[in-house]
Amino acid sequence: MTTPAPLLEADVPRPVLDVIARLHELGHAVFLVGGCVRDTLRGVHPKDFDVATSALPEEVQRAFRKVIPTGIQHGTVTVVQGGTHVEVTTFRSEGDYHDGRRPSAVTFEQDIVKDLSRRDFTINAMAWNPLTHELADPFGGQADLKARVVRCVGSAVERFSEDGLRPMRAVRFAAVLDFTLDPGTQAAIPATLPVFRKVAHERVREEFVKLLLSKREAFGLGLLADTGLLDVFLPELARADAEAARIARAAAAAEPVDVEIRLAALLADLVSPQQAEEIGVRLKFPTKTIERVKLLITHAALERHVGDSDPMLRRLLAKVGLANVEALTSVARARIQAREPARLPEIDALIGRLHALAASKPPLSAKDLALNGGAIMAALGVGPSPIVGEATRFLLERVLDEPSLNEPEKIKGLLLSWQQARGSGS
């Protein structure tokens, strides 16, 4: 087989080449496998280089000075070569999967084709030796790369029944790589949903986030809905009215490409802030992400603030926080672009006002006041008491109305007038 030009021109790191050369020198079959071969053939520099070999784990350990037994029971060790960690896995076949995730047994093999036959998709089931230029492609991965299609190795039902996450990965690859999903592969997903339901939510979330951050997130989300996958982990979107779901998917193309912004744009018009929090907990998102998405959804309908006065907008900024203004305006604009594009000019004008107000760094909280708690107590001639809180809230309301009042002498004057009025009122 003629070696494709992208492989001949590949920039494989020297430590990886050294590992391959050493195992080859000892008489073992050795290849780069999986995603690094796929990406190299696509003209994309791989993030990781995984090595597969006929050498048994103990033979790999003897061949190198420093080896970490990272997953030795499954044939994987990490060789530390030139300061670089190179993952090396023995060719293997796998027994039955009983939990929709892990094989019941692993058998080490000498044949690369047996190893490739257990992999998920044809585009990931290729192996290449950069020293000998030998390329193993027994399942037509190159042809599927050229056709831009994601297809299972062998029986899609079998592959999806082995590892419940594979259907989600199939959809994610199609979205991220801008490929289509092979009809037979897609048709196998609904029948294997019971296996998908066994997958840990953390693993589902990782695939979902990669899809959400892709350039074809709307296509990917639609594919998740069509196959029934979405209903398993995000029924709020899967069961939404067709037009509402279409708009939500379109809004998820929000810029910048940020998981919190895109998740908030996706969910803002489908769920309440409380429901958004429940979704975040269900999918095991970090607490910080959950809280920010909830905040963005709470205030996402910026169109309600068109025509608001500057003091009202400053109060909105006080609720949102200056650090979240950019994200909030991104979510709001994405929603309007998807729902009511004719309103974009007025939303853009409002966003311009909000950014200008934020840039002026107005006082938005008690800590921004020109007088701190101690100075307020001194000015009023009181000790710690509820009146200090009342005074602070009064002053904050006044400077939100008029930020220029936030100077020590002006604040003191306001404070004394408030005290006097309060005293005469009582």
Side-chain angles (χ1 to χ4, degrees), residues 214-251:
S214 73
K215 293 180 180 178
R216 296 182 76 210
E217 83 303 320
F219 164 78
L221 289 167
L223 205 48
L224 288 177
D226 292 343
T227 55
L229 289 164
L230 193 65
D231 192 54
V232 174
F233 69 94
L234 194 55
E236 295 85 354
L237 175 57
R239 300 172 191 176
D241 168 81
E243 181 61 7
R246 183 196 66 77
I247 290 171
R249 291 196 298 265

Side-chain angles (χ1 to χ4, degrees), residues 83 187 189 338 377:
I189 294 177
M377 285 189 282

